[in-house]
Amino acid sequence: MMLPAAYARFLGLTLLATLAYVLAAPSTPEFQTRFNWARTKYVYAFGDSYSFVSGTQGYPRWSFIGSALNFSYTPEQLLEDEIQLNITGSDGANWLEYLTGCFEGKPSECAPRQLWDFAFSGADVDKKLLPLHHEWCVDLVDQVNEWTQYGFDVIPHPPGETLTTFWIGINDTGDTVHNTTLDFKAFWELEMQSLFKAVQNLYDHELRGAYLFVTLPPLERSPDHIGTSIAPLYGQNIKDYNTALLKHSARFAETHRDVHVMTFDAHELFYHILDNAEQYHFTNITGFCECSDPEYFWFNTGHPTARVHKLLAEAVDAELRRASQD
């Protein structure tokens, strides 16, 4: 399908905006792992319902493997686990599945890239900061703890062939928006401390190579919030969270020069598509349909459709290609 001209213009603009924090760092040292998307074989993911896939060894319809009620797993369980087709936070595949081509079955049998997805639907950053949505949910900090305890020496992750993605904070900003006493900016700093402590944990367990941090989408424009009195505050909180994320990802890049750190501005992409809906053949961007109607942007009150995920994957893929080094 030929994409709208506005989409191509967006790709050029967002590349500059989202990578500016990283590219502003001093020149790349010789010992940094050189990132090349074409040579990347392993994609790891940590996050929430926007990233999770359902697995035969996971909590049904919530995770690929494990839960807070069944935290441990064996190497055999991890390697035999299979992604279940089209069980995601949308009406079909999600952005990571489109990005990797790994839609079902054992990740080790996927091509051109394996998808090892440890994201958990309903996750916040850290249960010490916000309570779990359900007793079976695994926050991002524990997604990482689970992998470092049971998975790090099971699945390959050579630095020159590995990309790790982080997309988290959607539930955090939603869970706190009605809190009338919270100092939001100070709270996002606490969240970043927990998030990047978890990232450091992965680094210490030699999951390195390239990291991709994704900003939060403008959920104040979701069916649950658009036009409500809380929408302006919600939108500002999301922007402030994203600012904190970009600042801390840049700081991490400066202190971990052997990792290729990138960011992707999903917030700007969603805004762009919503503002140019007709060019993308979306006729309904304020309501939702828990169906497979391609004219809807939103699948439910807080999650986009598979078609939006596909557009997101295409945009991420384009930027990863542009960021690749020979």
Side-chain angles (χ1 to χ4, degrees):
M1 179 181 69
M2 183 172 293
L3 298 174
Y7 181 78
R9 290 196 298 273
F10 164 80
L11 288 179
L13 292 173
T14 193
L15 176 66
L16 295 177
T18 58
L19 296 184
Y21 285 84
V22 176
L23 296 181
S27 59
T28 303
E30 293 182 1
F31 59 83
Q32 184 187 59
T33 299
R34 298 185 68 81
F35 172 72
N36 187 294
W37 180 229
R39 291 197 290 268
T40 300
K41 297 180 181 178
Y42 308 96
V43 175
Y44 286 70
F46 299 89
D48 52 35
S49 58
Y50 273 52
S51 296
F52 101 99
V53 298
S54 185
T56 53
Q57 295 289 335
Y59 196 89
R61 308 190 77 86
W62 288 80
S63 71
F64 173 67
I65 193 163
S67 73
L69 304 178
N70 186 22
F71 196 69
S72 65
Y73 50 79
T74 66
E76 292 75 21
Q77 288 175 317
L78 181 56
L79 293 173
E80 293 299 315
D81 198 358
E82 297 188 17
I83 297 172
Q84 297 175 299
L85 182 66
N86 290 342
I87 303 181
T88 67
S90 77
D91 56 311
N94 72 16
W95 69 285
L96 287 161
E97 293 177 315
Y98 286 119
L99 186 66
T100 60
C102 195
F103 295 95
E104 65 177 324
K106 296 179 183 178
S108 60
E109 296 178 357
C110 286
R113 298 176 181 91
Q114 299 179 20
L115 173 59
W116 295 99
D117 193 333
F118 299 95
F120 206 105
S121 184
D124 291 305
V125 171
D126 188 345
K127 65 178 183 291
K128 294 180 180 178
L129 297 174
L130 289 170
L132 297 175
H133 282 199
H134 303 281
E135 61 179 351
W136 56 82
C137 287
V138 180
D139 61 350
L140 183 135
V141 169
D142 274 343
Q143 292 169 28
V144 170
N145 288 335
E146 189 177 34
W147 180 82
T148 60
Q149 292 179 52
Y150 305 109
F152 86 96
D153 58 351
V154 179
I155 315 166
H157 43 89
E161 300 176 357
T162 302
L163 171 70
T164 303
T165 69
F166 305 90
W167 199 4
I168 191 70
I170 291 168
N171 293 310
D172 306 69
T173 50
D175 292 348
T176 55
V177 69
H178 293 285
N179 189 320
T180 59
T181 62
L182 189 64
D183 181 336
F184 287 106
K185 288 187 178 181
F187 187 72
W188 305 142
E189 283 299 314
L190 290 176
E191 292 247 304
M192 292 303 117
Q193 291 174 25
S194 289
L195 171 57
F196 282 87
K197 184 177 179 180
V199 175
Q200 181 65 46
N201 193 11
L202 292 173
Y203 178 90
D204 291 342
H205 283 80
E206 299 184 357
L207 183 56
R208 301 181 184 179
Y211 292 169
L212 177 66
F213 297 93
V214 182
T215 63
L216 304 187
L219 283 169
E220 76 277 8
R221 297 183 68 171
S222 67
D224 233 11
H225 293 92
I226 190 168
T228 65
S229 60
I230 202 70
L233 174 62
Y234 194 17
Q236 187 59 53
N237 287 351
I238 289 171
K239 290 178 181 178
D240 289 342
Y241 181 100
N242 287 340
T243 297
L245 176 67
L246 292 173
K247 181 181 73 174
H248 281 264
S249 62
R251 184 179 301 166
F252 188 90
E254 292 171 0
T255 57
H256 298 74
R257 303 302 305 282
D258 56 329
V259 177
H260 193 98
V261 178
M262 298 172 284
T263 60
F264 180 83
D265 197 347
H267 187 274
E268 182 63 25
L269 175 64
F270 274 50
Y271 249 101
H272 172 80
I273 297 173
L274 289 167
D275 286 347
N276 298 275
E278 290 185 1
Q279 296 186 44
Y280 293 91
H281 307 293
F282 290 112
T283 60
N284 191 316
I285 60 172
T286 57
F288 67 93
C289 182
E290 293 183 323
C291 60
S292 294
D293 188 333
E295 295 188 352
Y296 279 83
F297 183 94
W298 298 102
F299 171 61
N300 57 27
T301 57
H303 296 84
T305 61
R307 196 155 79 83
V308 176
H309 277 274
K310 189 172 188 293
L311 290 170
L312 171 61
E314 290 169 350
V316 172
D317 178 80
E319 292 201 10
L320 292 176
R321 292 178 186 277
R322 294 190 188 200
S324 294
Q325 301 162 310
D326 294 334

